Amino acid sequence: MQLVELTELKNLDCNLYSSKGNKILFDITIFEQKIGTSIKFFNRVESEILSQAISLYKSGHHWSAGTLFTQLYEMRLTRFFIRRTNKPEGFQPSKKNIDEQLKNLRDREHDVIENRMSFYKIVDESFENGLISDELAARAKIFYKEIRIPVSHGLLNRLAHKYLPIGHVSEFHTDANFAIIAENMSNDALKELELLMEESSNDSI
């Protein structure tokens, strides 16, 4: 599998906004307008998490919002993969085999979640099965390595290296610039989540 080459996420447009600058944040209004049209939910949990994350984002709680965005990203891609790969070859869903459909879904969930299929493997198989584009597959891996893992494990120095224009990063730099780090992280996370949700809402993929 050959993926397109991308620049690091820190070069994306959503990082043009600093905590003390005059530019607006990621245009959350446009994002919200897409919900229900180009962006659709798979279940109520996604809707609830995103609603809470957006509320935190708007109120300036960027670390909390970004944490939820990154969690939702992984949840969304995993759920999308399960939904699109749970049918045995030749199986045709109908009103007469709903119980079998549910069993297929439960079995696939067990294969993916209980057997701890890695995020990278889910990305690779999603791409190989034509579920996501090569660009999204490449971005997903960068996002997971550079944002999802550091946020999940509290690796603030790794995020500081990504977002602060300095060579050596100490605990002092991280602490003094936490607001900037958190804001940039949440902007990146929301931008990548938007791309994933739009592409996974498209049944033509």
Side-chain angles (χ1 to χ4, degrees):
M1 178 180 66
Q2 185 173 0
L3 303 179
V4 297
E5 293 184 0
L6 297 174
T7 58
E8 293 184 353
L9 293 181
K10 63 183 177 184
N11 294 323
L12 296 178
D13 289 343
C14 52
N15 273 329
L16 294 176
Y17 318 119
S18 69
S19 292
K20 296 181 180 179
N22 295 320
K23 297 183 179 181
I24 61 172
L25 294 176
F26 177 95
D27 198 332
I28 195 71
T29 302
I30 294 177
F31 177 81
E32 289 179 298
Q33 290 173 349
K34 294 181 179 181
I35 296 175
T37 54
S38 61
I39 291 178
K40 298 179 175 64
F41 296 113
F42 292 154
N43 51 46
R44 184 175 179 179
V45 172
E46 285 187 354
S47 176
E48 290 290 333
I49 292 175
L50 185 59
S51 176
Q52 292 178 28
I54 289 175
S55 178
L56 288 166
Y57 184 88
K58 286 181 173 180
S59 63
H61 295 88
H62 294 293
W63 182 263
S64 298
T67 299
L68 289 179
F69 290 145
T70 64
Q71 291 173 348
L72 183 55
Y73 188 101
E74 185 169 2
M75 181 188 301
R76 172 77 175 200
L77 183 58
T78 302
R79 176 54 50 184
F80 176 62
F81 177 70
I82 291 171
R83 285 167 62 96
R84 296 295 293 270
T85 61
N86 72 80
K87 301 178 184 64
E89 185 175 354
F91 180 78
Q92 294 295 328
S94 70
K95 293 180 179 180
K96 297 181 179 180
N97 58 21
I98 292 178
D99 288 343
E100 190 173 354
Q101 292 178 50
L102 293 174
K103 182 180 183 303
N104 291 338
L105 184 61
R106 288 194 299 269
D107 289 346
R108 188 56 172 153
E109 285 180 338
H110 184 274
D111 290 340
V112 174
I113 298 175
E114 298 303 325
N115 291 332
R116 299 184 179 181
M117 181 181 289
S118 74
F119 180 85
Y120 295 111
K121 185 170 178 60
I122 290 174
V123 172
D124 286 341
E125 292 198 12
S126 293
F127 172 64
E128 291 164 2
N129 283 282
L131 305 181
I132 60 175
S133 65
D134 55 351
E135 180 177 347
L136 182 61
R139 296 180 76 105
K141 289 184 176 182
I142 296 172
F143 169 80
Y144 194 77
K145 177 182 179 181
E146 297 190 2
I147 299 179
R148 171 61 172 149
I149 290 177
V151 170
S152 177
H153 296 282
L155 304 176
L156 295 181
N157 278 5
R158 193 178 295 182
L159 291 171
H161 275 292
K162 178 178 177 61
Y163 293 120
L164 300 181
I166 53 179
H168 174 71
V169 174
S170 67
E171 185 176 346
F172 170 79
H173 293 110
T174 302
D175 189 61
N177 294 282
F178 177 72
I180 294 175
I181 294 169
E183 185 174 324
N184 278 278
M185 178 275 288
S186 66
N187 285 334
D188 277 351
L190 181 52
K191 177 62 177 178
E192 296 306 307
L193 179 62
E194 178 186 26
L195 295 173
L196 170 64
M197 295 191 77
E198 283 195 292
E199 189 162 315
S200 59
S201 294
N202 185 355
D203 292 335
S204 66
I205 293 177

